[in-house]
Amino acid sequence: QVQLVESGGGLVQPGGSLRLSCEVSRSILSINVMEWYRQAPGKERELVATIFRSGTPNYADSVKGRFTISRDNAKNTMYLQMNSLKPEDTAVYYCNGVYEFKVYWGQGTQVTVSS
């Protein structure tokens, strides 16, 4: 079993920044792949960024150059640094992790980009 807890969401103006955190209940080194997804109202959940145990990241085209995914092995925490935020980034953001071939999800954190 793995528990994931997101934090760091909130209301921010366009062009602003937020950093989301995803704390893992066990050693993050045991998690092969971790991801950030988001779901806007009326839309399907979409993949935002992926980070492998090696630290290699991948990004959706819509966030490349603006978002940075990272992980702190000592704190068992994954992060999503979001810069130059746009209104279309408004969504509930979820983290997940793949452990022993099962996918575990956090509860989500709301990000609202609005003036």
Side-chain angles (χ1 to χ4, degrees):
Q1 283 282 345
V2 178
Q3 283 79 47
L4 305 173
V5 179
E6 299 101 333
S7 61
L11 173 64
V12 64
Q13 292 187 341
S17 298
L18 280 176
R19 188 178 78 159
L20 305 182
S21 299
C22 174
E23 187 172 357
V24 184
S25 63
R26 60 180 299 120
S27 172
I28 201 170
L29 291 173
S30 65
I31 310 296
N32 289 326
V33 181
M34 296 195 71
E35 297 173 316
W36 285 100
Y37 276 76
R38 65 186 181 188
Q39 187 166 22
K43 295 189 176 181
E44 292 188 356
R45 193 172 293 192
E46 65 170 343
L47 177 63
V48 175
T50 302
I51 188 164
F52 298 93
R53 187 162 54 184
S54 63
T56 301
N58 279 320
Y59 299 95
D61 288 343
S62 59
V63 305
K64 275 182 184 176
R66 299 189 299 123
F67 290 10
T68 302
I69 189 171
S70 63
R71 53 196 286 172
D72 185 329
N73 295 335
K75 295 182 178 180
N76 294 324
T77 302
M78 176 179 67
Y79 301 99
L80 186 68
Q81 177 67 44
M82 305 186 295
N83 299 327
S84 303
L85 283 161
K86 304 175 182 179
E88 51 263 44
D89 294 318
T90 295
V92 178
Y93 284 71
Y94 300 90
C95 65
N96 78 24
V98 179
Y99 175 71
E100 293 188 345
F101 307 108
K102 292 183 181 179
V103 182
Y104 295 87
W105 291 88
Q107 82 289 350
T109 185
Q110 176 71 46
V111 172
T112 302
V113 184
S114 175
S115 55

